[in-house]
Amino acid sequence: MTQPSLPRPSIAIVGYGSQGRAHALNLRDSGFDVTVGLRPGGPTEAKAKADGFSVKSPAEAVKSADLVAVLTPDMVQKKLYDEVLAPNLKQGACLLFAHGLNVHFGMISPRDDLDVVLVAPKGPGALVRREYEIGRGVPCIYAIHQDRSGKAKDLALSYADGLGGARANLIETTFKEETETDLFGEQAVLCGGASSLVQAGFEVLVEAGYQPEIAYYEVLHELKLIVDLFYEGGITRMLEFVSETAQYGDYVSGPRVIDAATKERMREVLKDIQDGTFTKNWVAEYEAGLPNYKKYKQADLEHPIEVVGKQLRAKMVWLDNSPKEQKEAA
Ligand code: NAD
Ligand code: MG
Ligand code: MG
Ligand code: MG
Ligand code: MG
């Protein structure tokens, strides 16, 4: 199934969340020797054991591994690297990340003897696992930061291949490109942009006197139909499926909402990402105990669209609204 000419490193996966679990299961099914490194008594230890993995402390797990995948939350990686990985990784091992943030912005400066690579599937862990199980894969991007062995690229390709990524598509990138575009995408378009657009549309309708239930369907619920069409065939396919009236409205009103000034502000967001301002602020926020993060999150959770949405979704019997852990394990 996997390419025989590529190296077959022994692998330690540190972290068993969204990505960690999917990587560990796919790599094991692809024939790799996989050990999972987790804090004893940590929240995902039982899950990794139930999946049949040999679970060790992060320090023990990485000592003998040829390749160590760092799949903990981004904000704990620096401490993990400094206290556990740097003193225990074997000479000449390969250190692998699924997001370039810590290396690109210099929070982690990997030891000189290590290969340092990135393999990032373009999808959440649950999809990485599900696609693999049905014989397909999620596209992966990969990058090389440091190549001491001369085999860093083959190691990244072997790992991506074991994840199932080679069945879909592999694209080479750099730590800089992956980090900056990933942050921009989630901030300007995917998470930040899309949720703000939906909230603003909802507020405009409700403030104009329309029923919140109707507003919810129009600006949030139906977004799925549009995004599914984007996913299947781009904006071309969306235009094929919506009415002529919807198309004409798109052409004349879309650019009134997202205009040159919006694009200029997107460039400011990108600049803050590129020059490190965003990361500096995020690290400071994390170290201060997340005071603003918690406040912003609470405001989102209490937004009127969440209140009405909860009531309406209770009647949508077809929805899978199982808890995150359960959904990811499915
Ligand atoms: P997650 O929050 O789902 O899981 C984190 C795991 O790390 C958990 O098992 C947790 O118990 C463990 N952990 C936390 N602190 C630890 C510590 N100090 N030592 C050892 N283990 C610890 O994380 P995730 O979303 O899978 O993200 C992991 C990496 O993958 C990040 O770099 C992220 O940017 C990247 N990534 C995530 C996605 C995604 O869709 N979630 C997609 C691509 C890349
Ligand atoms: Mg991303
Ligand atoms: Mg991201
Ligand atoms: Mg938001
Ligand atoms: Mg348009």
Side-chain angles (χ1 to χ4, degrees):
M1 181 193 317
T2 55
Q3 291 177 34
S5 56
L6 291 171
R8 312 283 299 170
S10 63
I11 296 174
I13 304 270
V14 185
Y16 203 72
S18 174
Q19 292 293 325
R21 179 171 190 267
H23 292 209
L25 291 170
N26 289 8
L27 291 162
R28 182 175 67 185
D29 289 350
S30 294
F32 287 87
D33 168 14
V34 178
T35 304
V36 176
L38 285 171
R39 293 161 299 173
T44 47
E45 188 190 8
K47 200 195 259 178
K49 283 188 173 154
D51 288 335
F53 284 104
S54 138
V55 181
K56 298 180 179 165
S57 71
E60 282 309 312
V62 308
K63 269 181 187 152
S64 59
D66 302 323
L67 183 152
V68 174
V70 184
L71 299 174
T72 66
D74 295 307
M75 284 299 117
V76 309
Q77 290 179 7
K78 178 186 164 44
K79 192 163 181 275
L80 179 74
Y81 178 79
D82 290 343
E83 293 175 5
V84 179
L85 303 182
N88 289 296
L89 281 167
K90 75 178 187 191
Q91 280 289 311
C94 180
L95 188 59
L96 180 144
F97 295 88
H99 180 36
L101 186 81
N102 282 284
V103 170
H104 178 58
F105 286 112
M107 281 89 76
I108 294 178
S109 303
R111 258 173 31 200
D112 232 17
D113 60 291
L114 304 172
D115 287 342
V116 182
V117 305
L118 173 124
V119 174
K122 290 289 95 185
L127 189 67
V128 172
R129 180 58 184 160
R130 199 158 61 236
E131 286 291 298
Y132 183 92
E133 282 182 302
I134 54 180
R136 300 190 305 220
V138 167
C140 287
I141 63 177
Y142 70 95
I144 315 302
H145 174 73
Q146 202 163 281
D147 182 8
R148 289 296 176 262
S149 70
K151 296 200 183 84
K153 182 171 174 175
D154 281 351
L155 286 162
L157 288 174
S158 178
Y159 188 97
D161 191 30
L163 285 186
R167 299 165 177 173
N169 195 11
L170 296 180
I171 299 177
E172 185 161 8
T173 182
T174 60
F175 273 63
K176 173 180 162 58
E177 183 175 64
E178 186 279 333
T179 303
E180 294 173 358
T181 56
D182 185 76
L183 293 173
F184 179 80
E186 66 202 17
Q187 292 177 26
V189 180
L190 305 176
C191 310
S195 65
S196 292
L197 186 68
V198 165
Q199 288 168 333
F202 177 85
E203 288 165 14
V204 166
L205 286 175
V206 173
E207 286 162 15
Y210 299 101
Q211 297 180 69
E213 291 79 3
I214 304 287
Y216 177 88
Y217 279 117
E218 293 307 331
V219 305
L220 189 150
H221 183 82
E222 289 196 35
L223 188 57
K224 176 172 172 23
L225 309 174
I226 299 301
V227 171
D228 284 348
L229 292 167
F230 284 178
Y231 189 78
E232 290 163 9
I235 290 168
T236 304
R237 188 161 169 87
M238 187 274 281
L239 295 175
E240 233 173 270
F241 278 78
V242 303
S243 69
E244 287 170 338
T245 307
Q247 283 184 61
Y248 179 68
D250 168 339
Y251 305 143
V252 298
S253 298
R256 294 170 68 192
V257 174
I258 308 291
D259 62 6
T262 316
K263 214 169 138 187
E264 191 45 43
R265 291 193 298 276
M266 283 186 172
R267 286 196 192 93
E268 289 165 16
V269 167
L270 181 59
K271 189 180 147 293
D272 278 357
I273 291 168
Q274 290 170 326
D275 70 14
T277 302
F278 169 79
T279 301
K280 185 177 84 203
N281 292 344
W282 173 217
V283 170
E285 172 72 13
Y286 189 85
E287 284 171 355
L290 302 171
N292 295 300
Y293 171 100
K294 286 178 186 155
K295 212 167 55 199
Y296 297 141
K297 185 162 185 167
Q298 199 54 34
D300 262 358
L301 299 180
E302 287 170 4
H303 190 281
I305 199 169
E306 297 309 295
V307 179
V308 68
K310 199 166 176 212
Q311 292 158 6
L312 292 174
R313 288 190 303 269
K315 294 178 190 138
M316 300 180 194
V317 290
W318 62 88
L319 287 186
D320 170 15
N321 38 29
S322 52
K324 180 176 179 233
E325 310 72 52
Q326 215 172 304
K327 195 175 168 81
E328 281 178 346

